[in-house]
Amino acid sequence: MPSKLLAATLAATTSALSSYSPPPPKLIKQCAWQQTHCATAPQFRNVVQWYEGDAHGSGNWGVTYRRYVDGFVKAVADDLGIEEGATVFESAVGEGWFLSGLYELLDVAFDVAGNDVSMKAIEECRMELPWGSFAVGDSLNLTWVDPQRFDAVICAYVEPGENENEAAVTETWVREMCRLAKPSARVFVGNVRPPRGVTDAAAGAYLKPPEDLVTEAWWEAKAGDWGVDDVRIVPLTDATLLEEWGPRYHVFMRKRAAERKWPSWQDDMVTGGF
Ligand SMILES: C[S@@+](CC[C@H](N)C(=O)[O-])C[C@H]1O[C@@H](n2cnc3c(N)ncnc32)[C@H](O)[C@@H]1O
Ligand SMILES: *[C@@H]1O[C@H](CO)[C@@H](O)[C@H](O)[C@H]1NC(C)=O
């Protein structure tokens, strides 16, 4: 009898073991340096206070989740080229509204990761999207995330502060995003606001040198430096969101295809031989 029981137990254990598949490795890991940096660097204090205070729980957008998804995410989701098994990274992921919207709208299984400067936002993402990997970190420095790992890298946009050089901030921000994209992957920046002086004549005091401004033409000019091309600008058209946020546009780009690389010994032969 006991041996029969043992055999049955063994069989059950073996079949349980053979059907066990380990969870897939997390796409990103929390970086201790970044966590300390985000909690202590003075430039984040106001941002974190605002997003963890007044703006918290409203997805940071001032509109309902439904409005946000129907008016914005729905208009862009299909053009992100997210296919079955894709890996997606969102820079400054906030409370994960954009990603939740994608899961709602797209009929494919994909894996996600994202960063935000706010611990509270990251905790929210981990709760809402427990299969994803989320970490506290500065979008201006994503060196702690694997480069060329993602099939789509997105950002639903953050505005540089009024006293910052918006072109300089945006350039670093998007360069960091593009580094994470695989060859031929999509890179998407949503809800970019045209320079205030351009759309709002009343903002006459808002005088900045033109080279500090992010205009629609600016994206095309910078794309080469980031290793992307195929730049496409699409305006936000949803009436309610336009009323709430003012004019905005979205930028679709594509990382260049991998270049054929000479093995280094061939380089040596070429340079050595001529
Ligand atoms: C308007 S919310 C957008 C949230 C999200 N993209 C969405 O669509 O639901 C902007 C987010 O950017 C974050 N943020 C601002 N500056 C950042 C930085 N330098 N690095 C990382 N996150 C930042 C804020 O904490 C906030 O959660
Ligand atoms: C960027 O972040 C890494 C750690 O994630 C850190 O070691 C490095 O010093 C940071 N770079 C800058 C310029 O702050």
Side-chain angles (χ1 to χ4, degrees):
M1 266 312 165
S3 73
K4 209 171 172 188
L5 187 68
L6 185 66
T9 312
L10 265 177
T13 311
T14 316
S15 87
L17 274 177
S18 62
S19 67
Y20 173 76
S21 56
K26 289 281 183 185
L27 287 167
I28 63 171
K29 282 205 240 42
Q30 180 65 61
C31 161
W33 189 95
Q34 285 287 336
Q35 189 147 5
T36 307
H37 174 62
C38 289
T40 56
Q43 69 266 32
F44 300 132
R45 212 161 288 153
N46 288 342
V47 170
V48 170
Q49 246 167 36
W50 161 252
Y51 284 115
E52 295 194 346
D54 289 354
H56 191 74
S58 68
N60 301 336
W61 284 104
V63 296
T64 65
Y65 171 76
R66 196 68 269 141
R67 202 62 247 159
Y68 174 81
V69 172
D70 290 350
F72 165 47
V73 189
K74 218 174 232 175
V76 300
D78 284 339
D79 287 346
L80 296 171
I82 296 171
E83 289 170 1
E84 188 74 24
T87 50
V88 177
F89 184 91
E90 184 174 0
S91 177
V93 66
E95 295 169 41
W97 278 21
F98 192 88
L99 295 177
S100 297
L102 287 182
Y103 277 110
E104 197 187 304
L105 297 167
L106 298 176
D107 207 12
V108 293
F110 57 94
D111 203 0
V112 291
N115 75 293
D116 199 281
V117 70
S118 153
M119 183 71 224
K120 215 163 153 182
I122 291 304
E123 280 169 356
E124 196 96 14
C125 285
R126 287 174 178 160
M127 235 151 59
E128 291 295 319
L129 308 163
W131 56 86
S133 37
F134 300 98
V136 175
D138 181 3
S139 288
L140 293 171
N141 175 3
L142 297 176
T143 47
W144 49 283
V145 179
D146 287 349
Q148 301 201 37
R149 176 74 191 272
F150 297 90
D151 299 293
V153 182
I154 58 189
C155 176
Y157 208 58
V158 173
E159 295 175 9
E162 295 218 351
N163 301 318
E164 287 176 317
N165 175 331
E166 68 179 51
V169 171
T170 309
E171 180 164 0
T172 306
W173 190 286
V174 182
R175 194 223 316 129
E176 289 300 278
M177 290 174 64
C178 292
R179 271 194 324 108
L180 308 188
K182 287 181 188 171
S184 303
R186 306 297 158 101
V187 178
F188 170 79
V189 184
N191 296 310
V192 183
R193 195 179 59 185
R196 254 178 238 180
V198 174
T199 54
D200 179 6
Y206 204 77
L207 291 176
K208 290 199 168 179
E211 65 273 17
D212 286 4
L213 299 178
V214 174
T215 59
E216 291 190 17
W218 180 89
W219 294 88
E220 185 71 52
K222 289 290 171 199
D225 296 348
W226 300 325
V228 296
D229 52 23
D230 210 2
V231 180
R232 198 159 55 86
I233 306 248
V234 179
L236 173 73
T237 51
D238 182 81
T240 314
L241 295 183
L242 278 172
E243 201 176 303
E244 191 66 36
W245 302 342
R248 306 264 172 156
Y249 63 86
H250 317 309
V251 186
F252 290 91
M253 297 171 283
R254 186 190 278 275
K255 185 85 171 267
R256 287 206 197 103
E259 268 170 45
R260 200 176 153 273
K261 181 102 180 70
W262 290 90
S264 58
W265 59 268
Q266 277 180 339
D267 270 349
D268 293 346
M269 271 178 61
V270 170
T271 44
F274 290 87

mmCIF file of all heavy atoms in Angstrom, residues 31-35 37 137-138 140-145 176, ligand 2:
data_model
loop_
_atom_site.group_PDB
_atom_site.id
_atom_site.type_symbol
_atom_site.label_atom_id
_atom_site.label_comp_id
_atom_site.label_asym_id
_atom_site.label_seq_id
_atom_site.Cartn_x
_atom_site.Cartn_y
_atom_site.Cartn_z
ATOM 1 N N CYS A 31 16.658 49.862 -10.761
ATOM 2 C CA CYS A 31 18.059 50.259 -10.578
ATOM 3 C C CYS A 31 18.125 51.122 -9.315
ATOM 4 O O CYS A 31 17.427 52.130 -9.206
ATOM 5 C CB CYS A 31 18.515 51.034 -11.812
ATOM 6 S SG CYS A 31 19.979 52.055 -11.595
ATOM 7 N N ALA A 32 18.950 50.689 -8.357
ATOM 8 C CA ALA A 32 19.005 51.378 -7.055
ATOM 9 C C ALA A 32 19.440 52.837 -7.215
ATOM 10 O O ALA A 32 18.894 53.736 -6.573
ATOM 11 C CB ALA A 32 19.945 50.637 -6.117
ATOM 12 N N TRP A 33 20.385 53.070 -8.113
ATOM 13 C CA TRP A 33 20.875 54.440 -8.337
ATOM 14 C C TRP A 33 19.719 55.347 -8.793
ATOM 15 O O TRP A 33 19.537 56.458 -8.295
ATOM 16 C CB TRP A 33 21.990 54.432 -9.398
ATOM 17 C CG TRP A 33 22.706 55.742 -9.556
ATOM 18 C CD1 TRP A 33 23.880 56.121 -8.956
ATOM 19 C CD2 TRP A 33 22.293 56.866 -10.363
ATOM 20 N NE1 TRP A 33 24.221 57.390 -9.338
ATOM 21 C CE2 TRP A 33 23.264 57.880 -10.207
ATOM 22 C CE3 TRP A 33 21.200 57.117 -11.193
ATOM 23 C CZ2 TRP A 33 23.185 59.118 -10.850
ATOM 24 C CZ3 TRP A 33 21.124 58.364 -11.830
ATOM 25 C CH2 TRP A 33 22.100 59.338 -11.666
ATOM 26 N N GLN A 34 18.920 54.844 -9.734
ATOM 27 C CA GLN A 34 17.804 55.627 -10.262
ATOM 28 C C GLN A 34 16.751 55.891 -9.183
ATOM 29 O O GLN A 34 16.176 56.975 -9.107
ATOM 30 C CB GLN A 34 17.159 54.888 -11.443
ATOM 31 C CG GLN A 34 17.974 54.949 -12.712
ATOM 32 C CD GLN A 34 17.951 56.328 -13.369
ATOM 33 O OE1 GLN A 34 17.022 57.099 -13.167
ATOM 34 N NE2 GLN A 34 18.978 56.637 -14.127
ATOM 35 N N GLN A 35 16.508 54.890 -8.364
ATOM 36 C CA GLN A 35 15.489 55.052 -7.322
ATOM 37 C C GLN A 35 15.888 56.184 -6.364
ATOM 38 O O GLN A 35 15.074 57.043 -6.037
ATOM 39 C CB GLN A 35 15.320 53.731 -6.562
ATOM 40 C CG GLN A 35 14.140 53.765 -5.618
ATOM 41 C CD GLN A 35 13.456 52.410 -5.457
ATOM 42 O OE1 GLN A 35 13.919 51.396 -5.986
ATOM 43 N NE2 GLN A 35 12.369 52.386 -4.740
ATOM 44 N N HIS A 37 18.081 58.594 -7.033
ATOM 45 C CA HIS A 37 18.118 59.824 -7.832
ATOM 46 C C HIS A 37 16.723 60.460 -7.930
ATOM 47 O O HIS A 37 16.557 61.654 -7.676
ATOM 48 C CB HIS A 37 18.654 59.467 -9.222
ATOM 49 C CG HIS A 37 18.645 60.569 -10.223
ATOM 50 N ND1 HIS A 37 19.371 61.728 -10.064
ATOM 51 C CD2 HIS A 37 17.995 60.685 -11.415
ATOM 52 C CE1 HIS A 37 19.176 62.515 -11.120
ATOM 53 N NE2 HIS A 37 18.337 61.905 -11.944
ATOM 54 N N GLY A 137 12.506 55.576 -12.385
ATOM 55 C CA GLY A 137 13.684 56.013 -13.127
ATOM 56 C C GLY A 137 13.399 57.267 -13.933
ATOM 57 O O GLY A 137 12.243 57.556 -14.248
ATOM 58 N N ASP A 138 14.461 57.977 -14.266
ATOM 59 C CA ASP A 138 14.383 59.240 -14.996
ATOM 60 C C ASP A 138 14.385 58.967 -16.496
ATOM 61 O O ASP A 138 15.294 58.310 -17.009
ATOM 62 C CB ASP A 138 15.613 60.080 -14.601
ATOM 63 C CG ASP A 138 15.646 61.434 -15.279
ATOM 64 O OD1 ASP A 138 14.702 61.772 -16.027
ATOM 65 O OD2 ASP A 138 16.628 62.165 -15.046
ATOM 66 N N LEU A 140 15.161 60.834 -18.764
ATOM 67 C CA LEU A 140 16.291 61.481 -19.435
ATOM 68 C C LEU A 140 17.564 60.640 -19.363
ATOM 69 O O LEU A 140 18.589 61.015 -19.935
ATOM 70 C CB LEU A 140 16.552 62.867 -18.816
ATOM 71 C CG LEU A 140 15.449 63.889 -19.061
ATOM 72 C CD1 LEU A 140 15.686 65.143 -18.223
ATOM 73 C CD2 LEU A 140 15.381 64.266 -20.543
ATOM 74 N N ASN A 141 17.499 59.529 -18.670
ATOM 75 C CA ASN A 141 18.657 58.634 -18.566
ATOM 76 C C ASN A 141 18.148 57.205 -18.426
ATOM 77 O O ASN A 141 17.857 56.737 -17.340
ATOM 78 C CB ASN A 141 19.505 59.049 -17.345
ATOM 79 C CG ASN A 141 20.663 58.102 -17.097
ATOM 80 O OD1 ASN A 141 20.882 57.150 -17.863
ATOM 81 N ND2 ASN A 141 21.390 58.341 -16.018
ATOM 82 N N LEU A 142 18.056 56.520 -19.566
ATOM 83 C CA LEU A 142 17.551 55.138 -19.557
ATOM 84 C C LEU A 142 18.682 54.148 -19.825
ATOM 85 O O LEU A 142 18.460 53.076 -20.380
ATOM 86 C CB LEU A 142 16.426 54.983 -20.587
ATOM 87 C CG LEU A 142 15.157 55.823 -20.337
ATOM 88 C CD1 LEU A 142 14.151 55.669 -21.484
ATOM 89 C CD2 LEU A 142 14.480 55.455 -19.015
ATOM 90 N N THR A 143 19.890 54.499 -19.399
ATOM 91 C CA THR A 143 21.043 53.611 -19.635
ATOM 92 C C THR A 143 20.929 52.302 -18.860
ATOM 93 O O THR A 143 21.602 51.334 -19.197
ATOM 94 C CB THR A 143 22.363 54.297 -19.229
ATOM 95 O OG1 THR A 143 22.186 54.888 -17.943
ATOM 96 C CG2 THR A 143 22.758 55.365 -20.213
ATOM 97 N N TRP A 144 20.088 52.252 -17.853
ATOM 98 C CA TRP A 144 19.921 51.046 -17.025
ATOM 99 C C TRP A 144 18.908 50.058 -17.641
ATOM 100 O O TRP A 144 18.671 48.991 -17.082
ATOM 101 C CB TRP A 144 19.471 51.449 -15.615
ATOM 102 C CG TRP A 144 18.321 52.416 -15.638
ATOM 103 C CD1 TRP A 144 18.391 53.758 -15.908
ATOM 104 C CD2 TRP A 144 16.943 52.122 -15.449
ATOM 105 N NE1 TRP A 144 17.131 54.309 -15.898
ATOM 106 C CE2 TRP A 144 16.225 53.320 -15.611
ATOM 107 C CE3 TRP A 144 16.241 50.950 -15.145
ATOM 108 C CZ2 TRP A 144 14.838 53.399 -15.488
ATOM 109 C CZ3 TRP A 144 14.859 51.031 -15.026
ATOM 110 C CH2 TRP A 144 14.177 52.242 -15.197
ATOM 111 N N VAL A 145 18.332 50.424 -18.783
ATOM 112 C CA VAL A 145 17.412 49.528 -19.500
ATOM 113 C C VAL A 145 18.177 48.954 -20.705
ATOM 114 O O VAL A 145 18.963 49.666 -21.321
ATOM 115 C CB VAL A 145 16.172 50.313 -19.989
ATOM 116 C CG1 VAL A 145 15.214 49.403 -20.750
ATOM 117 C CG2 VAL A 145 15.468 50.978 -18.820
ATOM 118 N N GLU A 176 16.882 58.830 -25.714
ATOM 119 C CA GLU A 176 16.869 57.699 -24.784
ATOM 120 C C GLU A 176 15.814 56.661 -25.188
ATOM 121 O O GLU A 176 16.053 55.465 -25.084
ATOM 122 C CB GLU A 176 16.606 58.187 -23.352
ATOM 123 C CG GLU A 176 17.778 58.939 -22.749
ATOM 124 C CD GLU A 176 19.031 58.076 -22.691
ATOM 125 O OE1 GLU A 176 19.181 57.273 -21.757
ATOM 126 O OE2 GLU A 176 19.866 58.199 -23.606
HETATM 127 C C1 LIG B 2 22.502 57.425 -15.539
HETATM 128 O O1 LIG B 2 22.047 56.367 -14.724
HETATM 129 C C2 LIG B 2 23.065 55.466 -14.308
HETATM 130 C C3 LIG B 2 22.446 54.381 -13.447
HETATM 131 O O2 LIG B 2 21.218 53.969 -13.920
HETATM 132 C C4 LIG B 2 24.132 56.195 -13.535
HETATM 133 O O3 LIG B 2 25.160 55.284 -13.164
HETATM 134 C C5 LIG B 2 24.698 57.328 -14.355
HETATM 135 O O4 LIG B 2 25.613 58.056 -13.574
HETATM 136 C C6 LIG B 2 23.567 58.239 -14.815
HETATM 137 N N1 LIG B 2 24.096 59.260 -15.710
HETATM 138 C C7 LIG B 2 23.937 60.561 -15.475
HETATM 139 C C8 LIG B 2 24.511 61.481 -16.502
HETATM 140 O O5 LIG B 2 23.349 60.980 -14.490
#
